[in-house]
Amino acid sequence: MSSFTTLAALLVCLVAAWPPPTLLAATPDPSADEAYSFDDFPREEILVYPEWFKRSFLDIRADLAEAVAAGKQGLMVYFGQKRCPYCHQLMQVNFGLSDIVEYTRRHFDAVPIDIWGTEEVTTLDGETLTEREWSQREDSDFTPAILFYAADGTVALHLRGYYPPYQFRAALEYVADGHYRRESFRDYLARGEDRMVFEPEDLNEESFFTPPPYNLDRRYPAERPLAVFFEQGDCHPCDVLHGQVLRAPAIHRYFGEFDSVQLDLRSATPVITPAGQRTTARDWAAELGLFYAPAILFFDEQGKELIRVDSVVGFYRLRNVLNYLASRAYLSESYGAWRVSRAF
């Protein structure tokens, strides 16, 4: 037997011995276009929570205690908006699948929070805040955002934005089965993806991308802010971003004002980060905790990360982020506070 055959057999044994995510292939998913390509302007219709969401008095300590007493693994706190298209996607697409609903209800109680709400919430640490204040404190600007609390009150996972059924199933299982105690969600999700076939393909090109070498060092301030696109081949949401969202003249024009680079998050391409660290695209993505492509990270002229978009994104959401950055509002307020100030 050749050394290559022996190595291949050993790898098969090792992979088989490490249990993969099991919920990921439970039910056929909606079409890719339904999950990734949709009008993300605010909805006219008001979102209605599923009947199985908890009618909570917004005492999170009591809600968690009741979930544990009922034999559940923890609490799922959903931060959303009544007209948010991404929230509608979560309810209609993800919670439109019976396996996801059954698994969620079996392992978690779900408590809804309106990020614009003025109802008082008692948090796990006993602090009393309005729904709006708590949402901003928990960095829940990109709705739907979900905090998964384990039975002991640990924040097992924080999702920011909408993720299609594949990633959402993985998130549920990651928390319910206790994988958060042993590995990052990025690593857990990668184990499931290892069973899928990914052939390397050329990434989508844009005229505003700066070619290699990728020296992003901002220890000596640059003249322009920086946008870093982490992408990969065989990536339908990446195709949607480039084929639809970035084709809009208003969006495309904005990126001409940035130093913009594109990195393959699986590659060993050399990179010097804004902090001056020599690394690779793959290792930097791991250090940043990225598990979804495409992800866009924005840095100022000094190399400080300002905001990241690392979930499904359409024209309206990305335009808002770019308006926030172009106005330089980040110099005085967070994205969440900026959105609130514009709404009232």
Side-chain angles (χ1 to χ4, degrees):
M1 181 180 292
S2 69
S3 59
F4 177 82
T5 304
T6 302
L7 177 59
L10 176 60
L11 288 173
V12 169
C13 291
L14 287 173
V15 169
W18 189 276
T22 57
L23 191 61
L24 298 184
T27 301
D29 284 341
S31 70
D33 283 340
E34 185 179 355
Y36 297 109
S37 180
F38 56 92
D39 181 357
D40 77 329
F41 276 75
R43 295 284 192 262
E44 291 187 4
E45 66 272 23
I46 299 295
L47 181 139
V48 177
Y49 299 134
E51 54 85 21
W52 50 270
F53 269 35
K54 185 173 184 179
R55 297 180 183 275
S56 171
F57 291 105
L58 300 185
D59 184 336
I60 304 303
R61 295 171 302 180
D63 289 331
L64 179 59
E66 289 174 11
V68 173
K72 300 188 178 184
Q73 302 304 312
L75 195 65
M76 186 183 85
V77 180
Y78 156 88
F79 296 85
Q81 306 174 72
K82 296 297 179 66
R83 299 185 186 275
C84 164
Y86 299 90
C87 302
H88 282 251
Q89 282 289 105
L90 176 68
M91 300 302 172
Q92 295 168 4
V93 177
N94 296 29
F95 289 142
L97 296 170
S98 59
D99 69 303
I100 288 183
V101 172
E102 189 279 330
Y103 195 88
T104 304
R105 296 185 68 177
R106 175 158 34 107
H107 292 289
F108 305 98
D109 278 346
V111 173
I113 299 292
D114 183 347
I115 72 163
W116 301 103
T118 57
E119 295 292 326
E120 288 192 340
V121 180
T122 302
T123 65
L124 277 184
D125 57 13
E127 188 173 2
T128 300
L129 302 168
T130 65
E131 293 173 277
R132 185 189 308 165
E133 291 168 340
W134 192 36
S135 299
Q136 289 190 43
R137 194 184 77 175
E138 297 298 339
D139 192 21
S140 298
D141 304 320
F142 295 129
T143 53
I146 296 178
L147 277 177
F148 288 97
Y149 285 108
D152 63 358
T154 301
V155 176
L157 184 62
H158 187 185
L159 297 180
R160 299 171 61 254
Y162 171 66
Y163 295 95
Y166 179 86
Q167 287 90 353
F168 193 73
R169 285 192 187 95
L172 293 169
E173 191 176 67
Y174 173 74
V175 178
D177 288 350
H179 295 281
Y180 65 90
R181 301 188 189 98
R182 299 181 292 274
E183 62 185 326
S184 70
F185 183 54
R186 170 192 166 87
D187 291 342
Y188 176 75
L189 192 59
R191 288 200 287 112
E193 290 179 342
D194 282 344
R195 284 157 173 74
M196 303 169 68
V197 177
F198 286 110
E199 295 293 337
E201 290 187 355
D202 291 338
L203 302 182
N204 291 279
E205 297 181 357
E206 295 293 346
S207 60
F208 52 74
F209 284 153
T210 302
Y214 299 118
N215 183 354
L216 312 181
D217 194 340
R218 289 284 198 276
R219 289 176 297 174
Y220 300 98
E223 294 182 359
R224 305 199 303 175
L226 171 68
V228 182
F229 289 69
F230 283 91
E231 303 188 51
Q232 61 191 32
D234 292 312
C235 171
H236 184 72
C238 300
D239 295 339
V240 171
L241 174 70
H242 289 272
Q244 298 180 22
V245 181
L246 294 180
R247 294 281 65 78
I251 299 293
H252 200 275
R253 184 173 60 252
Y254 267 123
F255 280 105
E257 303 300 317
F258 290 85
D259 291 332
S260 299
V261 300
Q262 180 192 51
L263 301 175
D264 183 336
L265 58 75
R266 293 198 190 101
S267 77
T269 302
V271 178
I272 301 178
T273 72
Q277 174 188 3
R278 292 182 179 273
T279 185
T280 64
R282 179 176 56 235
D283 291 344
W284 191 27
E287 181 183 337
L288 291 166
L290 299 178
F291 60 85
Y292 179 84
I296 312 173
L297 279 64
F298 297 92
F299 299 84
D300 69 9
E301 293 84 347
Q302 289 76 39
K304 176 185 176 182
E305 184 181 335
L306 300 173
I307 196 169
R308 66 175 64 181
V309 181
D310 54 355
S311 54
V312 176
V313 64
F315 170 82
Y316 185 82
R317 175 163 288 179
L318 187 54
R319 187 188 65 177
N320 276 350
V321 169
L322 292 170
N323 281 337
Y324 168 70
L325 296 170
S327 68
R328 301 181 71 83
Y330 58 83
L331 294 174
S332 59
E333 56 188 344
S334 68
Y335 180 70
W338 175 78
R339 289 178 67 244
V340 169
S341 66
R342 286 165 56 90
F344 296 99

